[in-house]
Structures are given as structure tokens and as C-alpha cells.
Amino acid sequence: MIEYRNLRVAILGGGSVGAQVASLLIQHGDELAARAGAGLEVVGVAVRNLDAERSADIPKHLLTTDVESLILGADIVVELIGGIEPARTWILQALNSGADVITANKALLATHGPELFELAGQVGAQLYYEAAVGGAIPIIRPLRDSLAGDRVKRILGIVNGTTNYILDRMDTRGDSLDEALAAATALGYAEADPTADIEGFDAAQKAAILASLAFHTTVPLDLVYREGMSSITLDQVVAARKAGYVVKLLAICERLTDQNGVDGVSVRVHPALIPRDHPLAAVHGANNAVFVEAEAAGSLMFYGAGAGGVQTASAVLGDIVSAARRHVAGGPGVAESTHSDLPVLPISSVTTRYQITLTVVDQPGVLAGIASLFAEHGVSVEAVTQSVGTVSIRDGHDDAKPTATLVIVTHEATESSLALTVGALTDSPVVSSLVSVLRVEGLH
Ligand code: HSE
């Protein structure tokens, strides 16, 4: 029997992930010790309420409310309480005491990542966070290690399961947004206050983390452009299906050169159309997927459960084993790589394609007039589909006028040109309503 050195693991948080991590670490201790080359002893699980129900069995004697003593005696501290404070203070304490830290805390990493990585670097500790993005999906380690020799050009991610579940129900079952949200709430995907998911805040935090890692550049959360999906209607989803697209809430991180020749990165979260034959279109339910385009590797997709206690625990346990291996091997941890230090460019620098749906007065010259508004702002039209005479409008006079619905898909254009075009369309007397403007991604 091999005698392993023992490493003391402290878990902060006994919620759905924390309880599973503790329970699996205890159940599979021998196997994980053999993989890590060190014994992994759970020395305590810090909780707020010692008597609360747990989603997995944790021996009662391991539960404690004395977080600071638990941290001080640990080799590896696993932070699973979420939020900014006290998580930040406790992680700083753990690093300062010489422990390696594992966290699933996307909000903290997206807002205070540089502070935490700097301290980890100074003290020679490791800070691992595989579970912070995409739950069970291995994406942090592939970006940090497997693709360290390549250059990532773009990431398209479905990184929020709640919104994917809602949009998928709208697409596949014809639910309204409210019906689909009610179903997501009933299943426990959506919180009582679903704002963080629906308005894209959760996805923006994950996008900042992915972009920082992929582009070796610190991406502050406040430079991530964000639009939620609360204005997406069933009509838009149905029209997208007819046109061969599906609506997804995407996190898009890309390298780009702006109109002035400045190289930088752009990070954005918004609903977008993707072609139904794109691999991301096949991501159903509450699953997540991250589609990575790298210069040499080409396209890669990482897919799986983006949340869930036991699924997320899998990613945390992988980090614990990695941290333990480094304890055994010795040497400093892997420092965060921000050497590229690229500027984060504003949304106006982004170039993409758009689908614009308008109702217009159906009379000679209208289509030519609309086309000229696109041309005047340097936006090239790729395709126009027209359906005629479905509604009638009145323009203030008594006579009803026939209208047509135009669906216009553009070639690549800058956000700034598109915004000017949309402004001109809105002001045009022949446009009776601007039904929808959606970006089209995944066609490159
Ligand atoms: N609320 C998130 C989601 C899971 O719906 O994907 C945690 O990041």
C-alpha cells in the first residue's frame, strides 16, 4: 500500500456544489489520492447554518461556521459560496496563508480577477476556476493549456443554460417568452429573480473570463457589451426558424482590427441568429457549449451541462486533483497570462451581419428607396425576402394602404454603419414599422 502525503482540503460552502464536492471527495478519496499522488482529506465544510438540509451527505462533524480557522489549517481551499464578499476576503486570506485556491465564482473572477491572480503569483500559489464557466464542461484548462501553443481568433459561447432553455422552448414548442420562463423557474433553472440570466449579466461575466484567458489580455467586465434576451418575441423565433436560423443568447469574444487599424479584442453578449446547421444550433435545453476558432486547430466545440451540483462538482474535483499534483511536484503555480495586453474595443468597432425586418408601404419605388438607405451608409445587402399584403395600415388619412414585410440580410457591416442605417429606416416615411434587428453570427 502506497503511503501518500496528506493534503488538507477546506470547502467553503455547503450548497448544491459544495455538498457534492465534499461527498464525492470522501467517497472516492482513495482513487483521487492515487491520481493526485497525495491524500485529499476534507478537513471541514464551512456553512452558514449547521442544520440546513444538504443535497449530499456530509459527516456532521465536518460542518463548521468558523471559516477563518478552517482556512488557516488548509493546503487547498475550495470557495463555493459565490458573490463578491466575503468570498474575496476569504480567498485573499487563503492565498496569503499559502493555500492553493479553487473557485467557481465567476462574478468575483470577472470583477476582481487581476487582484486575485496577482496575489497568487506573488505568493506562488495556484488559483483554479474550471467550474466558473460552463459548469462541467472542460473549457478553462483547454484554453489555458491545450491551446497555449495556438492563437484563438474567436469564441462563440452558449454559456447560460437558463436562457438557452427558454429560447429552445420558444423554438421547439412555440412557447411565449413568459411561458418558457415560467417552465424554467418551475424546473429550478431560473432564479426567483431571473435578471442575471435573462439580461445577460451571468453570460457577460463568463465572457470576460473566457476572453481574458483566450486573448492573454485582462478584459474588465464593464467593457463587455451586453444586451439581454427579454425583448425576443415568439414571432422573431418563428420567423428565424422559417429563414433557416435559430435565436441563441451568445457570448462572443473575438480578435479584431478596427476601422483605424487598431488591433484589439471585442467581447459581447447579445441574442443572435445562427444558421440551423451550425453546431451551436444543436445545443438544446439548459446545456452549454463553447465553440472556439483557433488559427491552427480550426474549429473546436466543448459541450455539456453548464450547471447542476454534481456536474459542477466534477470540474471542481478536477481542479483539486490538479492543485494536489502541483503540491506533490513542487514549484510555482501557472501564472495568469496577460502578456498580449490588447485594448478592448467598443461595440462600434465590431463587424457582423444583420437581419432587419420591416413593414413598408407596398408601392413602386419603396424597395429602391430602402436599398438606397443601406447604400448611403455603406451597408451592403445580401438578400431581401418580401411577403406582401398581409396587413394594411392607415397613414392618418382614410385610405388603407397595402403593406409588405421585408426581411433584409446584410453582408458584413460595422455596428456604427448599421446603427446609422437603422436610424434612417426609422425616420423614413415609407417604413411603417421596424419589426426586428438581429445580428447574424456563425456564417464566417
Ligand atoms: N444561472 C446559470 C445558467 C448557471 O443558467 O447557466 C450558473 O452559472
Side-chain angles (χ1 to χ4, degrees), residues 106 159-162 189 197 202 206 288 306-307:
K106 58 197 175 259
V159 292
N160 183 271
T162 304
Y189 296 140
D197 294 320
D202 174 81
K206 294 166 178 168
N288 283 195

